[in-house]
């Protein structure tokens, strides 16, 4: 019997809240099983630190928001066979990308920090794919453990990763949920948001907040007009689209002129 070397992985953090990294730790026993199947060479939250280790799979959480992060992601890409971004920050810039539309982002920094001259930030918060090649994107805020397990399983099995870009509406239909947009007049983002959460909010009678980003087919202009018909003002409509994935191209149609 031939013992092949275990695949190696790394989990990197950029500008983010750490929520997507917790999707690993929240696996519980499944994470212990994963640790037996692969060599985890870098994952600071577990005590493994080797930032530029050469690995088979690199998971990246967070957006590129500082000059040093540009250099770091380029080195990580060079040392990784396969790069997977996970979460809203890594895939579209995240909530911090709200500053991208500011006329002068330096004013924001000055309003928050007592010594803004010590803050080294880029004018924009960008998705990882804006700077290096990304092999697979896992959308969500945060991603789920199920997404990560499936991505690793597909890669180790040598199969093409399954990408589900169906809208939350499709998930609601599969679960038999009553549409909150139609029945309750709530400004639900489900028609333009990809599923992945299992239609969590609509299942409890709440409107979708677009945590999982744009779905495969997005008609943002049409949904914007529907929201206005519900009584939302233009700024309120824009807020619905720009809340989590403000830098996603498919959601930029509602930007205030």
């Amino acid at each position: 019997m031939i013992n092949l070397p275990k695949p190696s992985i790394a989990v990197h953090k950029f500008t983010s809240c750490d929520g997507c990294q917790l999707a690993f730790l929240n696996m519980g026993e499944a994470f212990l099983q994963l640790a037996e199947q692969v060599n985890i060479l870098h994952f600071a939250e577990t005590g493994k630190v080797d930032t530029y280790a050469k690995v088979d799979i690199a998971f990246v959480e967070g957006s590129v928001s500082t000059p040093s992060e540009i250099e770091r992601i380029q080195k990580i890409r060079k040392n990784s066979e396969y790069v997977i971004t996970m979460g809203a920050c890594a895939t579209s810039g995240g909530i911090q990308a709200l500053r991208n539309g500011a006329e002068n982002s330096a004013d924001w920094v000055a309003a928050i920090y007592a010594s803004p001259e010590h803050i080294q930030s880029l004018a924009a918060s960008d998705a990882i794919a804006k700077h290096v090649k990304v092999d697979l994107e896992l959308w969500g805020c945060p991603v789920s453990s199920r997404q990560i397990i499936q991505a690793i399983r597909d890669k180790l099995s040598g199969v093409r990763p399954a990408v589900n870009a169906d809208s939350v509406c499709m998930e609601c239909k599969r679960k038999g949920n009553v549409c909150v947009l139609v029945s309750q007049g709530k400004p639900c983002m489900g028609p333009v948001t990809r599923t992945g959460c299992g239609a969590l909010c609509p299942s409890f009678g709440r409107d979708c907040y677009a945590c999982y980003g744009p779905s495969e087919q997005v008609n943002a202009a049409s949904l914007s007009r529907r929201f206005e018909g519900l009584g939302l003002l233009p700024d309120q409509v824009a807020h619905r689209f720009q809340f989590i994935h403000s830098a996603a191209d498919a959601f930029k149609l509602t930007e205030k002129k």
Side-chain angles (χ1 to χ4, degrees), residues 134-196:
V134 170
D135 300 295
L136 178 64
E137 294 180 327
L138 302 180
W139 292 74
C141 188
V143 296
S144 67
S145 300
R146 174 188 54 78
Q147 289 172 281
I148 292 175
I149 292 174
Q150 184 64 51
I152 295 176
R153 182 182 296 123
D154 289 345
K155 176 59 179 173
L156 298 186
S157 300
V159 301
R160 184 174 181 178
V163 177
N164 186 359
D166 284 347
S167 70
V168 172
C169 289
M170 297 298 294
E171 187 67 25
C172 277
K173 291 182 182 297
R174 287 190 285 265
K175 298 187 71 171
N177 293 339
V178 176
C179 179
V180 298
L181 175 60
V182 174
S183 66
Q184 301 181 45
K186 293 184 177 180
C188 182
M189 290 289 289
V192 298
T193 302
R194 73 175 58 205
T195 187

Side-chain angles (χ1 to χ4, degrees), residues 6-145:
K6 293 182 180 179
S8 55
I9 71 171
V11 182
H12 299 278
K13 170 185 166 58
F14 282 69
T15 301
S16 59
C17 70
D18 289 24
C20 291
Q21 292 181 81
L22 290 178
F24 276 92
L25 304 181
N26 289 340
M27 291 180 189
E29 185 176 345
F31 182 70
L32 299 178
Q33 295 173 348
L34 173 65
E36 294 178 353
Q37 299 172 3
V38 301
N39 285 324
I40 302 176
L41 300 186
H42 173 77
F43 191 178
E45 291 204 6
T46 66
K48 295 272 190 175
V49 179
D50 188 355
T51 305
Y52 300 122
K54 292 189 176 182
V55 296
D56 296 301
I57 307 174
F59 285 89
V60 181
E61 174 199 78
S63 65
V64 175
S65 297
T66 67
S68 63
E69 287 180 334
I70 295 178
E71 180 181 356
R72 182 154 60 96
I73 191 57
Q74 291 173 343
K75 289 183 179 179
I76 290 172
R77 172 71 267 191
K78 183 178 180 180
N79 291 337
S80 308
E81 177 190 340
Y82 200 76
V83 171
I84 300 176
T85 54
M86 54 181 184
C89 298
T91 55
S92 73
I95 292 178
Q96 56 268 31
L98 288 169
R99 75 169 185 255
N100 294 7
E103 294 183 1
N104 188 352
S105 60
D107 291 342
W108 288 25
V109 176
I112 297 172
Y113 298 99
S115 302
E117 65 274 12
H118 298 300
I119 305 300
Q120 301 297 319
S121 294
L122 299 172
S125 172
D126 290 329
I128 298 298
K130 293 282 187 179
H131 296 274
V132 297
K133 175 189 174 184
V134 170
D135 300 295
L136 178 64
E137 294 180 327
L138 302 180
W139 292 74
C141 188
V143 296
S144 67
S145 300

Side-chain angles (χ1 to χ4, degrees), residues 42 103 112 161 171 176 189-190 206 210-211 217 220 235 240 251:
H42 173 77
E103 294 183 1
I112 297 172
E171 187 67 25
M189 290 289 289
R206 296 182 57 185
C211 297
Q217 297 182 353
D235 282 351
R240 300 294 297 188
F251 284 173

